[in-house]
Amino acid sequence: MNLIELDRALKQLRLGGMAAVLETRLRQAQTEPLAPSDLLSCLVSDELARRGERLLERRTKQAQFRDSQKTLDNFDFTFNKKMNRSLVFDLATGAFIARHEDALFLGPPGTGKSHLAQAIGQAAIQQGYRVLYRETHVLLENLAEAVAEGTRKPFMGSVASVPLLIIDDFGMRKLPLTAAEDLLEIIMRRYERASTLLTSNRPVEDWGKLLGDVAAVTAMLDRLLHHGHVLKCGPRSWRTKLAAATAAESH
């Protein structure tokens, strides 16, 4: 079997990682030289590395982050110095996901809640967890579409089973009349089975009025807070700071 045939066979066996570096590794084996077992070890490592990278890429794409560039590395913790950094990094370890715990990020708009939520989602993917990110209104729109298409059951099943569900920007937009009932069902189905991270610019005291169903909100919060971690973000807003800086520059 010549090199072209070997390359074709590796791809047919879905060993694309090996196929991509085969010629390079064969040259290495000739120049170093490499023992057959060492050459095989290198090729297997190359294949595993490529599969790992593709899995991370696939899970990042499936999560559908609003901004996949939001990480802990590019978050400025000095802007709001009173933020509980140790809690943020504890959550980023993914231990809360393994324990099926939840998290609430609360604070005014522009204080980094969405950035941190997506950063923790990225960290969770690196640790091997599947993640689903949705803004609250988008999640409920997706559910409404599933109902219209007759696929509500499988949709709810997928939402209920993902190890980390990030529900972002709760309270930013007006929600449908069924929002309280739908969100409660999602939270109840995930309770003590999977982790939910929810961000909101509204204090929890306002949620009953926001959703128009105090009983449903009480039940929802009871479950979120039972094994929940609360991060208070703010009070300073990045967007306000940037707007002020832009205005100053224009003058």
Side-chain angles (χ1 to χ4, degrees), residues 29-66:
Q30 291 172 345
T31 57
E32 290 196 10
L34 281 180
S37 61
D38 292 333
L39 172 60
L40 183 59
S41 178
C42 286
L43 287 169
V44 170
S45 295
D46 293 330
E47 179 64 34
L48 290 174
R50 178 158 173 163
R51 290 191 181 196
E53 289 168 5
R54 288 195 166 181
L55 178 61
L56 291 178
E57 290 172 2
R58 187 164 64 251
R59 286 188 171 170
T60 300
K61 186 176 181 180
Q62 289 170 345
Q64 296 183 10
F65 295 112
R66 185 168 60 197

Side-chain angles (χ1 to χ4, degrees), residues 170 180 184 187-188 204-209 211-226:
F170 175 74
L184 176 59
I187 298 302
M188 287 181 68
V204 294
E205 295 82 9
D206 292 352
W207 288 13
K209 185 185 296 184
L211 291 176
D213 191 332
V214 174
V217 166
T218 300
M220 187 167 71
L221 282 170
D222 181 61
R223 286 159 178 79
L224 283 173
L225 295 174
H226 183 206

Side-chain angles (χ1 to χ4, degrees), residues 76 78 80 94 114 118 129 170 175 182 191 207-209 241:
D76 185 1
T78 64
N80 280 303
S114 294
Q118 291 176 93
Y129 292 105
F170 175 74
L175 299 175
D182 292 336
Y191 176 60
W207 288 13
K209 185 185 296 184
K241 177 191 176 184

Side-chain angles (χ1 to χ4, degrees), residues 170-240:
F170 175 74
M172 285 290 286
R173 298 198 187 190
K174 187 175 181 180
L175 299 175
L177 295 176
T178 59
E181 182 181 332
D182 292 336
L183 287 171
L184 176 59
E185 181 181 352
I186 290 170
I187 298 302
M188 287 181 68
R189 291 183 65 168
R190 295 180 58 77
Y191 176 60
E192 295 188 331
R193 296 183 181 89
S195 295
T196 304
L197 193 165
L198 189 148
T199 80
S200 179
N201 68 331
R202 303 285 287 271
V204 294
E205 295 82 9
D206 292 352
W207 288 13
K209 185 185 296 184
L210 181 68
L211 291 176
D213 191 332
V214 174
V217 166
T218 300
M220 187 167 71
L221 282 170
D222 181 61
R223 286 159 178 79
L224 283 173
L225 295 174
H226 183 206
H227 305 295
H229 305 272
V230 179
L231 179 71
K232 294 183 179 178
C233 302
R236 300 173 70 199
S237 166
W238 269 106
R239 283 192 285 272
T240 301

